[in-house]
Amino acid sequence: MPGLVTATGVLAFLADEELELKIFALKTLNDDIDTVWTEVAGALSQIEALYEDESFPERQLAALVLAKVYFHLQAYSESMTFALAAGPLFKLDAPGEFEETIISKCIDQYIAVSSLHHTPPKLSKKDLSLPALATTFGSGAFDGSTLISPTTPFSQSTLPSKSLLSRAATDNTILDPTFQPTKEGRSASVAQITDAHTALALRNVIERLFESCLKEAKYRQVVGIAVEAKNLDVLRRVIKRAGEDALSKAAVQPGSQGPAEELMDYALSICMDVVQERSLRTEILRLVLDLLNDIPNPDYFAIAKCVVYLDSDEEASTMLQQLITKGDRNSLAIAYQIAFDLYDNGTQEFLAKVIKSLPSAEPPKKPEAEQEGEETAESEPLLQTQDSSEEALSEHEAKAYKNIRSILDGSKAIRLNLEFLYRNNHTDLSILNKVRDSLEGRNSIFHTAVTFCNAFMNAGTTHDQFFRDNLEWLGKAVNWSKFTATAALGVIHRGNLTQSRKLLEPYLPRAGGVSSGSIFSQGGALYAYGLIHANHGADALDYLREKFIAADEEVVQHGGALGLGIAGMATGNEQVFDDLTKVLFADSALNGEAVGLSMGLIMLGTGNTKALETMYTYAHETTHEKIVRGCALGMALIMFGQQEGADIMIEGLLNDPDPALRYGGILTVAMAYCGTGSNKAIRKLLHVAVSDVNDDVRRIAVMSLGFILFRKPGSVPRMVELLAESYNPHVRYGSAMALGIACAGTGLDEAIDLLEPMMKDPTDFVRQGALIALSMIMVQQNEVMNPKVAAIRKTLKKVVGDRHEDAMTKFGASLALGIIDAGGRNCTIGLQTQTGNLNMAGIVGMAVFTQYWYWFPFTHFLSLSFVPTSIIALDHDLEIPSFSFHCATRPSLFDYPPEAAVKAEEGPTMVTTAVLSTTAQAKRRAQKKERAQRRESMDIDSTPTVSKTPSQPAVDLMDVDDDKKAKSEEPKDKKEGESGTEKESSASSESKKKAEKEKVGYEIENLSRVLPGQLKYISFPAGRYTPVKKPTGGPLLLHDTKPAEAKSLMEEKLKKVNTERAPVAGGTTATPRQTSMLAQARHPNNNMRDLNELFNLSADSERLMGTPARTSRNAGSGAAAAAGVLTAVDEDGEGDEEASVPHEFEYFTDAEDDE
């Protein structure tokens, strides 16, 4: 039947009295509505009347016609309402634009309604403290009645309210900015359904939609809608249905994941990466965890991920015990792997609880006592009772629990990473030497810059040869430069737990108040001790606390506070917090900043209301800006990962008139919402970045975008593109650092394109930020991965060596050279763990590093963000087997960058004397004349003329010959040059051919560098060992398929290294005279008298003179050699008796004259 051309005649039937004609008209219009809808739109009232007539038998047909007409009129809400009323006539599977649009509209409506009726879970213990938090920060909620004035005291002034976090959060609780159709959220485009019949029809349509998806096994679509609608009943039903379908079909092969397990993995991934609302995430994880526990053989690694986020230490302990009780090798390997994952993702407090709840069949173990921070006497009775009740444990289980404890307390993972960094160290010392030669050591900012460059390049490698080889340069460090240089040993030896005390002994404060040299080296040593034990304060906290309490000098307290904070990170230790509070109340500006920061580090992520109240109150009482800034930074760290729980505090701080506290409020946004991609937080930061009156606050607001979005690095360049061209240099610097933080280690081209122009910015600190950010992005990149890396490295070296460059830019370039080669070129910057959780230590390290703007020693915190990139395969005995795995790429793709070529110094070359053509002609004419005269005179006996004649023609001949030779050799040179270029071109073409012919696929030895981007190419060939899970980097447990056969193990090189005890001269220190003589003795032209005098000065001078050849790879030798230099009391120190006054005066007068 041909379609309608006009609907006029058919529409007339609608007014007919005959029922059949009305029904015929509706059916005809329904078939051809796309053609004649414009005419039908004029008769909507008639069709609506038919729909509302309850006696009309085809009401649903009338509703369907109405829905289609309203669809063409773009009144989608009305169209959806009538489509729902059409019931089964509305075909979900019809392939039309109308059906697709209305289904989409129905899903939006369902999500909005379901989210509205979602009841959040009961408040947790942490959240119950929020009312107290509201009262603490309530004073910050000003009404905006007065504006701030330069002459108005803070106590009588307020700022206009800039709150955006108070907006309704309906559009922020879900997934991604693309899901938000309007600024006001879904409510703007969602119809208000008041009719119960329509609501029921909506549920029926959604159920039909779900059923059709489930029949086709499209489970993920249903899971996505359920999560977005916050309907966990549907989520549970879908996962169970997937499991039942798999059982009925019996299609799952043994050893592979079934649909239910895959769905739970998918739910976990969107929960971690996409869902922004913390309470909803917790609910979903709890649901997934319950479902996983119901499966006979669950995915234990997924359980571990849930357990860490939910902070459920009991379930983690139960899971480990279940696996160990099974007794087979595979279960044991899985238990060890889970323990490594728990250590990688958990806080010290969480791990301590897990360790405590594990059974013990041996005498009291150090890790347990250490993790709990208890005295041995207190813990012994408890452990004895445990032993008596657990004597039934077998020797095999006891050994397994011992290994689990060594993994959970971190000692095993730290030792493995230390071994990896030590044996694969690729530090290029020539770069360090160039930086040292380019920057004048007497200038404190340059000395500090070289120190940081050395520390970052050698982070975790225990390789401190640079300090040992440059004692004279090291001796130029005074005051805080000496503090920083000593602390650098902590970065270099990070993780060297067993040797830390022995290594730093010459510098550490001594008991009984006996002076051990400069107070700056003592403070730096305590800072270094904390860095070595970073996020692993088990046996270090008590020692650091003792030294911190005993310290009288503010500098030593400063270093002790930083060490305590780093080692005790997230322990929640009340005793340490109280000790820090007492020092804070002493109101010392020098150590107040470090103490405030350390209080935040101890309570990191706990949301402790009492701690926040103490710090907030004191920040308003003190007059020292440094203390206010330290407290603001500490409060931000306490709110780490709290998300909505921090909103009240954020409002209070952002409405404070003090810019230092507003700075802390922005940093709280960054820490509370880090890695979430929260639209609410981004909107807040962008608003403050362009509206606040203080440059520091605007700078940190832009910079904080990097912390929010580091899981979506591709979105950051687009977001800061305009800010990078701001008139305000602080905003430009912030945008550069935001790119560096978010895109660290990615080599993202868009970010590099934005940063390259900023390297030529007119403002020095903007150039500094651009250089540092570029190095963060380019870390572990080679020319094959990113061709721009060579040019950027060249630029960094050029900036360092440029005598006309500003000091701040040079400082940034030297830091950048250290960062780009971090950890011997074996570390990247990781703000999330290999399994996808937040890397708490890395994020905190990066956040505190950005404060180097105010205080250079904070720069060392960046080392906490350095993550070794390796695969360390272990067998079920936690030993390192010697075997290879396969990488399916070209070797050059992920290879180390080539070392910088050192140009050999060429001596001056002899330049041939140029002979002018006129001179040669004059000589020839003179010789001709002489010969003519001789022939005329025929005087044979004139010997003088004879003696001259051979020489002069010789000159003539040489001149002529030279000319001829020059002419004859010219084409030769040309030929040689051409052949040289041909050779070079042929060599380059050969290298190109070689690159083209480079074999794809190669073997990698165990304990080797494997970059994050390389993991997808890694496979384990069929052989003896198979991994327990897909490799994610770091320690990887293996299943041994041939356990009865003898195994080949890799030798741990670090065990062979003997850390030398650093020299301790009975409380004496190296005087300036000893130091200068030691520097002289290192020169090759020294004489024996100087050496003998040096030996007589100190009994321990031999150990100070350790030659590099013998101790080049000894872990402690650098500290040993530098001890006398770094512990020497600064010549401008107060009350030092070790050096005579005239020497001090002469030294510093010379230095000033030089400058």
Side-chain angles (χ1 to χ4, degrees), residues 1065-1084:
T1068 61
T1069 59
T1071 62
R1073 187 180 175 203
Q1074 285 176 321
T1075 306
S1076 62
M1077 292 194 66
L1078 182 59
Q1080 291 173 14
R1082 292 176 62 84
H1083 288 290

Side-chain angles (χ1 to χ4, degrees), residues 137 577 584 592-608 611-612 615-616 619 626-640 649 653 660-661 663-665 667-668 671 844 847-848 851 858:
F137 293 95
F577 185 84
L584 180 72
E593 188 170 17
V595 169
L597 167 62
S598 295
M599 291 165 76
L601 286 169
I602 293 292
M603 293 294 174
L604 178 63
T606 60
N608 189 304
L612 289 168
M615 297 168 76
Y616 183 75
K626 286 175 79 69
I627 296 179
V628 176
R629 195 181 302 116
C631 288
L633 183 55
M635 286 190 284
L637 294 176
I638 291 175
M639 280 300 183
F640 176 86
M649 175 179 149
L653 289 174
L661 285 175
Y663 185 101
L667 209 53
T668 307
M671 293 293 97
V844 170
V848 181
Q851 307 309 303
F858 286 159

Side-chain angles (χ1 to χ4, degrees), residues 422-665:
Y422 177 79
R423 71 190 298 147
N424 293 291
N425 184 15
H426 279 70
T427 302
D428 192 349
L429 282 176
S430 65
I431 297 175
L432 260 178
N433 291 330
K434 180 176 172 55
V435 175
R436 180 207 61 209
D437 295 340
S438 303
L439 303 178
E440 172 52 50
R442 290 189 189 278
N443 190 331
S444 112
I445 185 174
F446 289 157
H447 195 288
T448 306
V450 179
T451 300
F452 289 138
C453 184
N454 174 40
F456 291 158
M457 271 194 187
N458 293 291
T461 63
T462 73
H463 189 240
D464 48 22
Q465 184 179 354
F466 181 77
F467 278 155
R468 181 174 61 253
D469 291 348
N470 295 280
L471 294 185
E472 187 177 355
W473 167 84
L474 199 58
K476 296 177 183 177
V478 292
N479 297 340
W480 289 104
S481 295
K482 186 172 289 187
F483 178 93
T484 308
T486 313
L489 289 168
V491 177
I492 293 170
H493 290 272
R494 184 186 171 195
N496 197 359
L497 307 178
T498 55
Q499 305 295 331
S500 56
R501 193 84 60 88
K502 184 178 178 182
L503 178 82
L504 295 171
E505 191 170 354
Y507 320 111
L508 289 166
R510 295 185 188 162
V514 179
S515 171
S516 61
S518 166
I519 56 172
F520 292 97
S521 64
Q522 292 178 43
L526 291 175
Y527 186 13
Y529 196 74
L531 283 164
I532 290 174
H533 293 263
N535 201 21
H536 181 76
D539 55 348
L541 270 183
D542 290 338
Y543 175 79
L544 283 167
R545 183 169 169 243
E546 174 196 331
K547 295 297 181 188
F548 177 72
I549 294 170
D552 296 325
E553 297 284 351
E554 290 181 337
V555 177
V556 182
Q557 286 181 335
H558 185 98
L562 290 174
L564 268 174
I566 297 171
M569 195 183 292
T571 55
N573 192 314
E574 295 281 355
Q575 292 177 328
V576 175
F577 185 84
D578 292 341
D579 294 334
L580 290 166
T581 307
K582 289 174 189 172
V583 177
L584 180 72
F585 288 163
D587 205 45
S588 163
L590 187 62
N591 58 28
E593 188 170 17
V595 169
L597 167 62
S598 295
M599 291 165 76
L601 286 169
I602 293 292
M603 293 294 174
L604 178 63
T606 60
N608 189 304
T609 310
K610 181 186 170 187
L612 289 168
E613 190 173 355
T614 302
M615 297 168 76
Y616 183 75
T617 306
Y618 192 74
H620 280 91
E621 291 174 0
T622 185
T623 56
H624 295 294
E625 185 188 350
K626 286 175 79 69
I627 296 179
V628 176
R629 195 181 302 116
C631 288
L633 183 55
M635 286 190 284
L637 294 176
I638 291 175
M639 280 300 183
F640 176 86
Q642 294 292 313
Q643 296 187 28
E644 299 87 6
D647 283 0
I648 296 169
M649 175 179 149
I650 290 167
E651 281 307 311
L653 289 174
L654 289 182
N655 288 318
D656 199 286
D658 187 344
L661 285 175
R662 293 206 304 281
Y663 185 101

Side-chain angles (χ1 to χ4, degrees), residues 158-187:
T158 59
L159 281 174
S161 174
K162 301 190 294 292
S163 171
L164 284 173
L165 292 179
S166 56
R167 289 184 181 181
T170 54
D171 59 337
N172 297 314
T173 54
I174 326 285
L175 315 170
D176 183 89
T178 56
F179 283 85
Q180 315 311 325
T182 62
K183 196 173 182 181
E184 290 77 17
R186 292 184 183 279
S187 55

